[in-house]
Amino acid sequence: MSTGSEPAPVEGAMLGMEPLDAEEAGVARAAHTMLATLVEDFMTLPLADVPIDRSCYGEEPAS
Amino acid sequence: MTASPQDLGLAEQAAAVGAGKVSPEELFAATAARAAVLDRETNAVCATFTGTFSEHLEQAGHGPLFGVPCGIKDMFAMDWRVPEDGTPVPAHTVGGGEAGAVRALRRAGGLPLLATNLHQLGIGTTGHITGRGPIRNPWDLDRCAGGSSGGSAVVVAARAVAGAVGTDAAGSIRIPSSYCGIVGLKPTWGAVPVDGYTGSYSTMGVVGPMTRDAGDCRLLATALLGREPAGARLDVPRIGIPRASHWIDVDPDVRARCEAAVDCFADAGAPVEDIEIAGSGHLTIAAIVSTGTERLPQLDRHWMETVLPHLHPSVRGLIKTRFELSANLVQRVLRYRSMLRRDVAALFDRVDVIAMPTVPTPPPSVDRPRAELPSGVTSADAAALHFSALANLTGIPAISFPCGLDRSGLPVGISLHARWGREDLLLDLAERFERLTDRTYLPPVDLDRRAPERVSG
């Protein structure tokens, strides 16, 4: 099944993941394209000084 | 009785059993017959209980749902079913025994007898990729039922059962509920037990009810939560509208139906004000990163060898892509969620609920699931996540209920979000909307008429 044309992600390969076959690679490329735009925009959001929320997700956040 | 007891709602079925007008055995027989017909059309059902019914019934609690069959998404361990998680392979990661949500349902007397189909591994909003064919929408079989809890939405909408259990890690209860014209509640994160659920590791995922009306949704929510949703009653709720981020780039029919729903509350006295959700442009990427990476530690060498090769190529591709998301990105999303939760908590000092269309378009086509927005054509998943992710990223409850039909006669849903723990307010408002509009939505299917020809064919 695998064409071996695209390597598996490093951690995936450690777990025995096969290299991406042609269909998987097509999906991966499309996902990369969409994510690239979203991530580029997301990286502009200033988050360095945001306090870490240590409350449970089922509750209101601690101030 | 009507021609089929499945046409009754959840509370009505329970009342009919209690009054001796129909037996649990008759109800289950009718459920199984309809489910079989429905499944041929829609691929909504993974399995129907085939064990000894009397033994199953004996173990049910004598609660408000006694003797009523329900659907449950195929992500939960049951004594008669190892869930397959939308794949062709049983998910042995859930361990033995019965899932917490199943126990809760059975304590209330409900009978989880239909395992319903889902988008593979629950990682899609369309439901067109599953282990057994696309889940088709009973309003139009060429349209997606939605995902990932598409099978649960279909069995409720098409009246095989009156209530079903779904899960929602990025809109997976609300999106198919909107596409199929039913009511779906995403409870507050952590409110319903998640042991024995294949997504139990998630800080995004919750278990919740899917029904044909808000009263039944309250009934099933009470069973799953283990308590009746309660809180201070609000006669005049303040409604917040995130107009710039969630009401502009929306299909015109969807927007018109949702605006009419808000007007309905406003006419009844509810103050409505525009609000802004800080950082709302990043909801989609945050949901993708959160849901995509939280699963990764579950994927061990055994899973790679036994499950991954059996998945749809597009799902395999997505899984492999997610191993490449950077640690920086994951950590930034955690901080973003902290920021978002604080901002939303502050918003709930000004308004009681946040309203938006559940999804920005009508259900997409099965053959080409894309969202046609005023700004252009995009992925149906990305379009839907922008609307659904707020509740999952913050943990707040949200409800979707039908508010009209579009130009093609397809259902449109509106979502309300409330402060943590205020499921009661969401159910109150959904019930109030149903009273104000006096309208319910059922897909134009006639399963009883179809049954003979399908069975003989």
Side-chain angles (χ1 to χ4, degrees), chain A residues 14 24 42 45 53 60, chain B residues 301 316 332 341 419:
Chain A
M14 291 175 182
E24 294 166 2
F42 185 52
L45 187 66
D53 179 2
E60 289 201 27
Chain B
R301 183 173 284 274
R316 292 200 311 266
R332 284 181 61 83
R341 279 164 50 75
R419 191 184 284 274

Side-chain angles (χ1 to χ4, degrees), chain B residues 29-355:
Chain B
T31 296
R34 271 204 172 170
V37 176
L38 181 64
D39 188 46
R40 294 179 196 186
E41 307 262 10
T42 63
N43 300 314
V45 181
C46 291
T48 303
F49 177 77
T50 55
T52 306
F53 181 79
S54 58
E55 290 177 6
H56 193 82
L57 185 64
E58 275 176 20
Q59 294 165 15
H62 283 265
L65 293 175
F66 179 72
V68 178
C70 296
I72 187 162
K73 190 177 185 178
D74 196 27
M75 295 181 109
F76 295 91
M78 294 193 278
D79 61 0
W80 64 272
R81 169 88 178 165
V82 176
E84 294 184 349
D85 222 3
T87 77
V89 187
H92 291 289
T93 52
V94 293
E98 207 167 48
V102 175
R103 290 196 305 275
L105 184 57
R106 282 157 66 87
R107 266 198 301 273
L111 308 175
L113 299 171
L114 290 185
T116 58
N117 202 8
L118 60 141
H119 198 107
Q120 208 156 70
L121 298 178
I123 56 174
T125 67
T126 51
H128 78 294
I129 295 173
T130 81
R132 47 196 318 282
I135 310 173
R136 296 181 180 276
N137 194 312
W139 290 80
D140 178 346
L141 295 173
D142 293 328
R143 303 279 186 147
C144 293
S148 61
S149 310
S152 287
V154 170
V155 296
V156 170
R159 305 185 302 282
V161 288
V165 177
T167 69
D168 190 322
S172 287
I173 285 174
R174 292 160 288 151
I175 294 165
S177 292
S178 179
Y179 286 163
C180 292
I182 65 169
V183 181
L185 174 69
K186 176 227 171 270
T188 304
W189 186 85
V192 177
V194 292
D195 59 288
Y197 155 45
T198 58
S200 62
Y201 54 82
S202 174
T203 65
M204 301 274 281
V206 292
V207 183
M210 303 168 76
T211 58
R212 289 196 290 275
D213 66 43
D216 278 354
C217 196
R218 183 186 298 276
L219 184 60
L220 191 48
T222 300
L224 293 172
L225 292 165
R227 59 175 173 79
E228 182 160 4
R233 181 175 166 78
L234 276 175
D235 289 325
V236 186
R238 300 164 296 171
I239 300 176
I241 303 289
R243 194 170 305 279
S245 59
H246 289 90
W247 286 81
I248 303 299
D249 197 14
V250 174
D251 174 274
D253 279 8
V254 171
R255 187 166 71 182
R257 298 291 90 72
C258 292
E259 284 174 342
V262 172
D263 288 346
C264 191
F265 286 114
D267 291 345
V272 178
E273 69 166 294
D274 283 6
I275 59 170
E276 185 178 346
I277 300 168
S280 59
H282 309 294
L283 292 165
T284 300
I285 185 65
I288 290 171
V289 171
S290 293
T291 56
T293 57
E294 285 186 337
R295 176 184 292 273
L296 296 182
Q298 308 293 113
L299 311 183
D300 58 13
R301 183 173 284 274
H302 179 70
W303 190 91
M304 292 293 175
E305 292 171 357
T306 59
V307 180
L308 187 65
H310 299 285
L311 302 182
H312 189 277
S314 70
V315 176
R316 292 200 311 266
L318 284 178
I319 291 282
K320 293 184 177 183
T321 301
R322 285 167 180 182
F323 273 92
E324 297 175 328
L325 295 174
S326 76
N328 179 42
L329 190 57
V330 173
Q331 291 302 314
R332 284 181 61 83
V333 166
L334 289 176
R335 293 194 187 195
Y336 171 72
R337 290 179 71 180
S338 294
M339 183 194 78
L340 194 62
R341 279 164 50 75
R342 290 191 179 93
D343 186 63
V344 166
L347 283 175
F348 282 128
D349 290 335
R350 285 170 49 197
V351 299
D352 298 303
V353 292
I354 298 171

Side-chain angles (χ1 to χ4, degrees), chain B residues 365-453:
Chain B
S365 74
V366 168
D367 292 337
R368 191 172 182 274
R370 296 283 185 271
E372 295 182 11
L373 299 172
S375 62
V377 178
T378 186
S379 142
D381 282 342
L385 285 177
H386 175 65
F387 287 73
S388 60
L390 177 68
N392 304 93
L393 291 165
T394 58
I396 58 175
I399 195 168
S400 175
F401 52 90
C403 60
L405 303 177
D406 77 348
R407 56 195 169 277
S408 303
L410 296 167
V412 174
I414 186 169
S415 278
L416 301 180
H417 304 67
R419 191 184 284 274
W420 293 261
R422 290 308 307 270
E423 289 84 0
D424 61 299
L425 176 59
L426 299 176
L427 291 161
D428 282 350
L429 293 176
E431 286 178 322
R432 206 175 298 180
F433 181 76
E434 288 175 356
R435 284 196 300 273
L436 288 169
T437 55
D438 192 25
R439 185 163 177 200
T440 54
Y441 298 89
L442 290 174
V445 293
D446 187 347
L447 293 169
D448 296 320
R449 186 182 60 77
R450 287 185 188 190
E453 66 190 62

Side-chain angles (χ1 to χ4, degrees), chain A residues 28-52:
Chain A
R29 274 192 295 273
H32 277 137
T33 301
M34 186 183 80
L35 287 175
T37 307
L38 295 172
V39 169
E40 184 178 8
D41 193 22
F42 185 52
M43 294 304 284
T44 65
L45 187 66
L47 294 168
D49 297 326
V50 172
I52 297 300

